[in-house]
Amino acid sequence: MRLENKVAIVTGGAQGLGKAFAEELLKKGAKVCICDLQAAEGRKVVKDWQQRFGRHSSMFVPCDVTDHDSFQNVFRTTKSRLGPIDIVVNNAGIGNEGDGWQRTIHINLIGVIEGTRLAVMYMSKEEGGKGGVVVNVASTAGLTPVFNTPVYAGSKYGVVGYTRSMAANPSIHEVGIRFTCLCPAYTDTTMFKSEKIDDLKKVDSNDPLVQMVMKAGVNTIEDVANGFMQLVETDNNNGGVMTVTKYKGIQYRHGKPLTNKL
Ligand SMILES: NC(=O)C1=CN([C@@H]2O[C@H](COP(=O)(O)OP(=O)(O)OC[C@H]3O[C@@H](n4cnc5c(N)ncnc54)[C@H](O)[C@@H]3O)[C@@H](O)[C@H]2O)C=CC1
Ligand SMILES: CCCCC/C=C\C=C\C(=O)C/C=C\C/C=C\CCCC(=O)O
């Protein structure tokens, strides 16, 4: 897909991976709407982008992806201000495990399903849209057991299964949307830093969590953004599940993408 003048929505785009994904799209000439719970940060980021990429390059809409009306408003506003939507990146995610674990499922899995359904409503050729690509951000925790975060891992397994099943639709050519899944391993963002692995390492470098992180390595944000851009720009990867790990780089999992005909 050529990105010049394409219109993208990135959820959870005020910081971390979502912000980096949006910025890479802007560098290639796309127009981007980021949405996020963090309104002040989101507005600040967009103000900077408008100076660097042009006044009409980007916009921020406050949104909680667990709130249907608020999420639908993002799609409505993006279409009316930037034009028909081509790319949807369902990236917003959290890692609550104890009290509040249900919110992890609501944001990480139900929020992604909600965003994908809205993408189909706005982008499907069967609904008068232009087609395009959906990137659902899961994790390697959606492909391999992670003992310390079972709810988070369960939410991400759900994202992988849901996305692959959407891609397996026999009428995919009429829909005209590629459904893809991005699965990074540990990546150096606020979410990862909140795990305080370095502190844990000082106390006990044999701790099983420390061992797991050391084995997997820690991606830079740029490593993952490179994989993201490859997923978006490659036209024949419907159903593709891409992992990005420090020790093996960018790989497609589950063998070949389900169909390469879109
Ligand atoms: N950092 C890591 O090690 C990895 C992260 N991921 C996934 O990548 C995605 C992005 O994570 P990071 O950038 O690391 O995290 P982050 O915590 O830096 O950024 C997440 C963003 O999502 C927003 N957000 C959270 N809940 C929201 C909601 N209900 N509605 C709208 N926005 C909401 C936050 O305000 C924040 O701006 C997540 O889905 C995460 O699970 C996947 C693998 C590894
Ligand atoms: C309560 C959950 C908080 C965790 C949030 C912090 C970081 C998120 C990281 C991930 O999503 C990645 C998680 C696990 C990776 C696990 C193993 C990597 C193995 C890679 C491989 O097998 O190739």
Side-chain angles (χ1 to χ4, degrees):
M1 173 188 271
R2 285 182 57 83
L3 293 173
E4 212 171 351
N5 287 320
K6 293 291 191 303
V7 173
I9 291 175
V10 181
T11 72
Q15 67 177 40
L17 289 173
K19 179 182 170 193
F21 300 156
E23 196 159 315
E24 290 306 310
L25 294 170
L26 285 163
K27 284 183 197 162
K28 292 271 177 114
K31 296 182 271 181
V32 182
C33 171
I34 56 166
C35 65
D36 205 292
L37 285 175
Q38 299 189 72
E41 194 56 33
R43 291 201 176 95
K44 196 170 116 199
V45 164
V46 163
K47 195 171 165 200
D48 170 53
W49 286 339
Q50 289 178 340
Q51 279 163 6
R52 289 166 57 200
F53 301 107
R55 228 180 109 219
H56 302 291
S57 62
S58 49
M59 58 186 280
F60 171 75
V61 179
C63 162
D64 180 341
V65 297
T66 66
D67 178 321
H68 177 79
D69 292 346
S70 141
F71 207 173
Q72 189 160 37
N73 179 50
V74 174
F75 281 74
R76 202 183 304 117
T77 313
T78 302
K79 188 178 173 189
S80 77
R81 292 200 16 213
L82 299 182
I85 298 157
D86 304 282
I87 301 162
V88 171
V89 186
N90 288 303
N91 161 80
I94 62 162
N96 290 352
E97 282 286 322
D99 290 346
W101 64 266
Q102 291 92 338
R103 189 146 168 86
T104 298
I105 302 291
H106 278 144
I107 296 172
N108 294 9
L109 177 56
I110 300 175
V112 167
I113 294 174
E114 189 76 63
T116 306
R117 290 171 62 89
L118 283 164
V120 171
M121 266 173 63
Y122 277 79
M123 289 161 56
S124 169
K125 290 183 176 171
E126 292 180 324
E127 309 284 337
K130 292 196 294 170
V133 58
V134 171
V135 179
N136 288 336
V137 181
S139 162
T140 50
L143 298 166
T144 185
V146 184
F147 73 92
N148 66 318
T149 59
V151 175
Y152 179 81
S155 71
K156 297 300 188 178
Y157 267 79
V159 171
V160 174
Y162 173 76
T163 308
R164 295 193 77 224
S165 301
M166 287 301 290
N169 179 354
S171 304
I172 196 76
H173 302 291
E174 286 78 66
V175 175
I177 301 174
R178 285 183 283 132
F179 297 94
T180 66
C181 198
L182 179 62
C183 294
Y186 298 106
T187 307
D188 193 18
T189 68
T190 307
M191 182 188 272
F192 174 69
K193 286 182 183 121
S194 70
E195 294 286 287
K196 297 196 172 19
I197 299 297
D198 287 341
D199 293 351
L200 199 57
K201 205 189 281 181
K202 281 181 211 147
V203 178
D204 179 7
S205 62
N206 287 320
D207 181 284
L209 177 56
V210 172
Q211 292 284 316
M212 188 163 64
V213 174
M214 283 170 65
K215 179 171 172 261
V218 181
N219 291 312
T220 62
I221 292 179
E222 194 189 1
D223 294 331
V224 182
N226 287 340
F228 166 78
M229 288 305 278
Q230 212 183 96
L231 259 188
V232 173
E233 291 184 296
T234 304
D235 284 323
N236 60 357
N237 63 2
N238 178 47
V241 176
M242 175 189 279
T243 54
V244 183
T245 58
K246 200 66 198 171
Y247 71 111
K248 285 189 187 153
I250 294 170
Q251 294 182 311
Y252 277 99
R253 296 282 279 262
H254 294 301
K256 289 196 172 128
L258 290 172
T259 164
N260 59 7
K261 291 189 188 137
L262 266 184

